[in-house]
Amino acid sequence: MSGTVTVVSSNESYTFTKPNRESVTLLTGLGVEGDVHAGVTVKHRSRVAQDPTQPNLRQVHLIHEELFDELREAGFEVAPGDLGENVTTRGIDLLALPVGTLLHLGDEAVVEVTGLRNPCLQIDNFQDGLLKQVVGRDEAGNIVRKAGVMSVVAAGGTVRPGDRVRVELPAEPHRPLERV
């Protein structure tokens, strides 16, 4: 299973969106160099308020570009970086990956998938009604989160648009992704 990196984004300050870059550098155990969410411990404001010593399982945020296609069909204009992700991919069903999946990004960088992004109300501040598009319920009433996956950096390296993404599944039994 493989796909492609289509866009990379980072931001050194706390804003909802992240500007697109020519490349980003992933730092082992930390995240995206220069990004506000990089670090060994949590950086998300609400999580820091709860317990600033929690490990940072959200070092690199990835979203599948196919989500933007789906949102466009629903009448929303959302582009890579708009939802605060660091890496936008195409060709991989990120949401279906199990916990512990390794994503090889380009020649060097590797991230380990830790869980699903749990979207917050800031998404509706960005575009009214968008939260209902990225969080919903399936036929059985279970919550479905579509706003991408979170990961930690297992091996550092530079990531650029056009880089290949190779998926390495963990040993079975596979554990489904939960929010992190």
Side-chain angles (χ1 to χ4, degrees):
M1 186 177 356
S2 67
T4 306
V5 172
T6 59
V7 178
V8 294
S9 310
S10 67
N11 201 341
E12 58 281 340
S13 60
Y14 281 106
T15 60
F16 185 72
T17 62
K18 293 189 179 190
N20 300 156
R21 308 286 183 191
E22 289 183 19
S23 67
V24 293
T25 300
L26 302 188
L27 303 173
T28 305
L30 294 174
V32 178
E33 182 177 47
D35 191 80
V36 69
H37 290 103
V40 174
T41 57
V42 294
K43 301 300 174 196
H44 193 276
R45 290 178 177 173
S46 66
R47 291 166 191 263
V48 169
Q50 290 174 356
D51 178 2
T53 66
Q54 295 176 71
N56 188 2
L57 302 177
R58 301 163 55 100
Q59 293 174 357
V60 180
H61 177 198
L62 298 97
I63 285 185
H64 51 295
E65 192 171 50
E66 292 85 351
L67 174 64
F68 303 135
D69 300 337
E70 182 182 321
L71 294 173
R72 197 170 300 106
E73 289 176 18
F76 295 88
E77 279 304 316
V78 181
D82 282 353
L83 298 181
E85 74 278 7
N86 301 109
V87 178
T88 308
T89 66
R90 184 165 282 281
I92 298 172
D93 186 356
L94 295 174
L95 305 178
L97 298 173
V99 172
T101 297
L102 297 178
L103 298 175
H104 298 259
L105 308 172
D107 295 331
E108 304 169 314
V110 180
V111 296
E112 180 179 340
V113 177
T114 56
L116 296 167
R117 176 185 182 191
N118 188 35
C120 64
L121 290 174
Q122 288 183 31
I123 289 178
D124 272 348
N125 293 336
F126 176 69
Q127 285 187 42
D128 191 42
L130 189 56
L131 183 60
K132 282 188 174 182
Q133 298 297 313
V134 296
V135 178
R137 294 199 180 266
D138 63 16
E139 301 80 31
N142 300 310
I143 294 176
V144 176
R145 293 174 176 86
K146 300 182 197 177
V149 298
M150 307 308 284
S151 65
V152 295
V153 181
T158 301
V159 181
R160 295 176 179 83
D163 281 350
R164 181 173 174 247
V165 179
R166 184 173 57 85
V167 176
E168 183 181 342
L169 295 173
E172 293 192 25
H174 291 161
R175 290 185 344 209
L177 296 176
E178 297 178 359
R179 69 181 179 98
V180 293

